[in-house]
Amino acid sequence: DIQMTQSPSSLSASVGDRVTITCRASQDIGNSLAWYQQKPGKAPKVLLFAASRLESGVPSRFSGSGSGTVYTLTISSLQPEDFATYYCQQYHGTPFFGQGTKLEIK
Amino acid sequence: QVQLQESGPGLVKPSETLSLTCTVSGASISSSYWSWIRQSAGRGLEWIGRVYTSGTTRSHPSLQSRVTISVDTSKNQFSLKLRSVTAADTAVYYCAKERNFFAPWGQGILVTVSS
């Protein structure tokens, strides 16, 4: 199994800040990575796939990068609606999710 | 657009079988992969398994001995059965369309395992 480790587990930031979340895979996943946003009481919603491809309808302030075992999600300028929990997911083998990063208002 | 809706009992007794159905609307269930995912405080998000519309399935290695996933193309539905449940199976269960990643998702259904 290819495990995913996210950091940090929580993050406090202000509207307008640039934030980065990191996901590390236990082995090379060849860009087979998706990022999700989840708000309380709602299902996760995909933001990016193939490490850096933006899903239709997702604002361009969200971006992804990385290769091999290390991947990042960046939000260039936080908006009030971006405060949520973010998850990575690899689909190189059996799908596995990271443990999540809770983004809170400072 | 494609919408998914989970249905089934919200309470299951220990050692019994959890049974859920996902109804797909807005598109045909044919020629796609469909998955079940669960989320609990203790285990986070956990992929349970998938079914293709041909009926081919694959499950998470840790659950495959207890999981059956099936599809009914005539009803545009797919289903999950999880046998011999324990309190550790208490979670919100989601169905989703799998495109390697998962999108869209159903709204989720809380299933509690308790006597």
Side-chain angles (χ1 to χ4, degrees):
Chain A
D1 294 343
I2 303 175
Q3 306 288 338
M4 307 302 293
T5 304
Q6 262 182 260
S7 61
S9 56
S10 64
L11 177 59
S12 294
S14 301
V15 172
D17 283 354
R18 177 185 180 91
V19 299
T20 297
I21 298 168
T22 300
C23 202
R24 287 179 168 79
S26 58
Q27 65 188 69
D28 188 339
I29 57 171
N31 287 4
S32 298
L33 186 95
W35 288 98
Y36 299 84
Q37 177 192 68
Q38 186 178 31
K39 295 183 177 178
K42 300 291 188 182
K45 171 191 161 187
V46 69
L47 301 172
L48 299 116
F49 60 95
S52 61
R53 294 183 63 182
L54 210 60
E55 174 73 336
S56 176
V58 174
S60 59
R61 62 181 179 273
F62 292 93
S63 64
S65 65
S67 63
T69 61
V70 182
Y71 297 85
T72 59
L73 169 70
T74 298
I75 310 172
S76 60
S77 178
L78 275 173
Q79 298 302 300
E81 60 268 30
D82 298 338
F83 292 94
T85 301
Y86 292 85
Y87 295 92
C88 61
Q89 175 237 326
Q90 64 82 6
Y91 48 89
H92 188 71
T94 299
F96 268 90
F97 293 85
Q99 73 272 35
T101 296
K102 187 173 184 179
L103 179 54
E104 299 174 306
I105 301 174
K106 186 183 286 185
Chain B
Q1 73 275 20
V2 181
Q3 293 185 307
L4 296 87
Q5 177 72 59
E6 304 88 352
S7 59
L11 181 64
V12 181
K13 290 182 168 54
S15 80
E16 295 191 344
T17 296
L18 179 160
S19 296
L20 297 174
T21 295
C22 183
T23 300
V24 178
S25 59
S28 170
I29 200 171
S30 298
S31 302
S32 293
Y33 288 91
W34 304 92
S35 274
W36 288 97
I37 300 154
R38 66 183 182 179
Q39 184 173 31
S40 62
R43 305 168 85 96
L45 283 162
E46 181 177 36
W47 177 74
I48 299 169
R50 71 168 71 95
V51 62
Y52 188 66
T53 46
S54 65
T56 302
T57 61
R58 184 179 171 203
S59 301
H60 194 291
S62 70
L63 297 170
Q64 63 185 18
S65 64
R66 298 195 289 134
V67 165
T68 299
I69 300 175
S70 58
V71 63
D72 186 337
T73 54
S74 68
K75 294 182 179 179
N76 237 37
Q77 293 176 336
F78 63 105
S79 299
L80 168 70
K81 291 189 186 299
L82 179 65
R83 295 176 290 278
S84 304
V85 297
T86 69
D89 295 310
T90 294
V92 176
Y93 285 75
Y94 295 100
C95 57
K97 183 174 182 178
E98 185 172 344
R99 300 154 52 192
N100 287 318
F101 55 94
F102 302 103
W105 299 52
Q107 66 184 24
I109 183 169
L110 173 62
V111 179
T112 301
V113 178
S114 175
S115 55

